[in-house]
Amino acid sequence: MDSSSADEQSRTWAELPADITSTILSKVGAIDVLTSAQRVCSSWLGICRDPAMWRNIDMHNLGDLWDMEHDLEKMCRHAVDRSEGHLLSINIEYFGTDELLEYIARRCFCRSSRLRNLRLVSCYSISDQGFGGAVANFPLLEELDLSYCSLSKEALEAVGKSCPLLKSLKLNSQGYRYPKIECDEEAIAIAENMHGLRHLQIFGNKLTNNGLQAILDGCPLLQSLDLRQCFNVSLGGNLEKICTQRIKDLRRPNDSTDDYEFDPEVQDVCWSSAEDDYPSGISDIELASDEDDYYEFSDNDYDFDYDYMFND
């Protein structure tokens, strides 16, 4: 393509109506917008600075942290700042920390938080205390994904107290059969604190029939329930009858995992224990080390300019 054709194509993109361009860019993840899309031309940069573009922040990264050229936490803070209090949903899977979650909560709270959807998949660096302090600032939260995190029942209790409008919860973990470990703590925390739940996915959970019964009793509005790879649950008799009669979308422990978004491989041995810092999670993911030297920008480098100034 010669230079004249390239210039013409660039002008064609730049001359698109702003609303159409905004719709196109809204389909692009926050990482690509900050590192690529806004660099196309000055008009795109202007659109990318509009707070409306940052109502939904998706930092989806597949856990490839070692392949990232930029510090995702700094980029996320920049994106949250751009939302100017209009943030409705945010996905910070794999790299979320107590500090980042606290920053999001503080920035949202000071402008009356509107956050409805929070996704924290595989955020092993978020603690019960950090999560509980942050979620207290999200009273309008309706959807929450805490899959493959190292949070305990205390975090679920905090959600119940702070987020009365919560309708959807995902609390997935790696399924395993042996050794057989039974634990209903999370199920009871859900049952006692989340009475308004409509949708619950607890793939690979250690709950038993008693925990399931508690959920059915405590969450009367439940419409969908995903129990796949919850091998301590044995549906049958009256429990089976209650589930089939009340739950419109029921996924049983041994149902197909073909549509499951993470690695559904069943583990023969559970390497997670009370002594571990991290629970069983998505396979083939190497946890980040404590060294921060990998990142292109250090913690003292927050002045990095993602706005990329252009001449007219």
Side-chain angles (χ1 to χ4, degrees):
M1 180 183 297
D2 58 35
S3 59
S4 60
S5 298
D7 291 341
E8 182 178 352
Q9 185 178 36
S10 177
R11 286 196 300 271
T12 300
W13 280 104
E15 292 169 1
L16 283 174
D19 58 340
I20 295 178
T21 302
S22 179
T23 299
I24 294 173
L25 294 177
S26 68
K27 308 298 182 182
V28 180
I31 296 174
D32 288 332
V33 169
L34 290 173
T35 60
S36 301
Q38 68 176 11
R39 305 181 67 178
V40 171
C41 59
S42 58
S43 62
W44 278 33
L45 175 59
I47 292 172
C48 290
R49 286 174 172 170
D50 186 347
M53 275 288 297
W54 303 97
R55 292 173 181 167
N56 303 291
I57 299 175
D58 182 5
M59 302 288 290
H60 182 72
N61 61 85
L62 299 178
D64 299 327
L65 301 183
W66 294 114
D67 293 330
M68 284 289 170
E69 297 180 357
H70 306 292
D71 186 331
L72 294 182
E73 183 165 339
K74 290 186 177 67
M75 293 178 70
C76 184
R77 291 181 182 226
H78 188 79
V80 171
D81 289 343
R82 282 193 177 186
S83 72
E84 295 186 1
H86 297 284
L87 187 62
L88 298 178
S89 70
I90 188 166
N91 172 10
I92 53 172
E93 57 190 86
Y94 293 101
F95 69 96
T97 63
D98 282 348
E99 293 75 20
L100 177 57
L101 194 57
E102 188 275 335
Y103 184 85
I104 295 170
R106 177 158 45 85
R107 295 294 292 174
C108 289
F109 180 73
C110 69
R111 299 175 182 269
S112 299
S113 175
R114 305 177 184 181
L115 193 69
R116 301 293 199 278
N117 187 319
L118 177 62
R119 182 176 169 94
L120 303 176
V121 175
S122 294
C123 292
Y124 303 112
S125 296
I126 292 179
S127 66
D128 285 331
Q129 183 177 3
F131 176 80
V135 79
N137 296 301
F138 305 141
L140 301 182
L141 198 67
E142 297 180 358
E143 300 180 30
L144 176 63
D145 192 341
L146 298 177
S147 299
Y148 303 100
C149 291
S150 54
L151 301 173
S152 71
K153 66 174 183 177
E154 282 75 18
L156 300 177
E157 292 169 350
V159 172
K161 295 176 182 178
S162 302
C163 310
L165 302 181
L166 191 72
K167 295 180 175 64
S168 176
L169 173 67
K170 292 184 178 181
L171 191 69
N172 303 318
S173 59
Q174 191 76 46
Y176 66 92
R177 295 181 185 273
Y178 306 106
K180 184 176 182 180
I181 300 177
E182 299 179 348
C183 182
D184 287 321
E185 287 187 349
E186 293 173 339
I188 292 174
I190 291 171
E192 293 181 348
N193 297 279
M194 302 181 189
H195 306 300
L197 273 187
R198 269 73 164 177
H199 311 284
L200 175 61
Q201 185 178 59
I202 46 176
F203 190 105
N205 197 272
K206 303 181 186 71
L207 84 165
T208 68
N209 282 12
N210 291 333
L212 175 56
Q213 185 64 62
I215 289 174
L216 293 173
D217 293 340
C219 305
L221 303 179
L222 208 57
Q223 299 174 6
S224 67
L225 177 60
D226 191 343
L227 297 169
R228 284 177 293 177
Q229 295 193 9
C230 295
F231 296 123
N232 294 331
V233 170
S234 178
L235 291 179
N238 190 54
L239 188 59
E240 168 82 9
K241 181 179 180 181
I242 294 175
C243 285
T244 54
Q245 287 180 345
R246 285 184 43 191
I247 309 300
K248 296 179 181 179
D249 181 12
L250 176 65
R251 309 297 293 273
R252 294 170 171 78
N254 291 298
D255 280 357
S256 171
T257 60
D258 289 346
D259 62 344
Y260 186 59
E261 63 178 310
F262 302 119
D263 178 8
E265 181 180 359
V266 177
Q267 303 296 307
D268 290 330
V269 177
C270 175
W271 56 266
S272 174
S273 70
E275 298 177 355
D276 293 330
D277 290 330
Y278 305 104
S280 295
I282 302 172
S283 65
D284 298 326
I285 294 176
E286 295 184 3
L287 302 181
S289 72
D290 292 332
E291 298 180 1
D292 294 328
D293 293 339
Y294 163 76
Y295 293 115
E296 180 179 352
F297 310 106
S298 69
D299 288 339
N300 296 322
D301 240 352
Y302 184 56
D303 291 334
F304 175 73
D305 183 12
Y306 286 104
D307 284 337
Y308 300 110
M309 302 303 296
F310 292 90
N311 295 322
D312 291 334

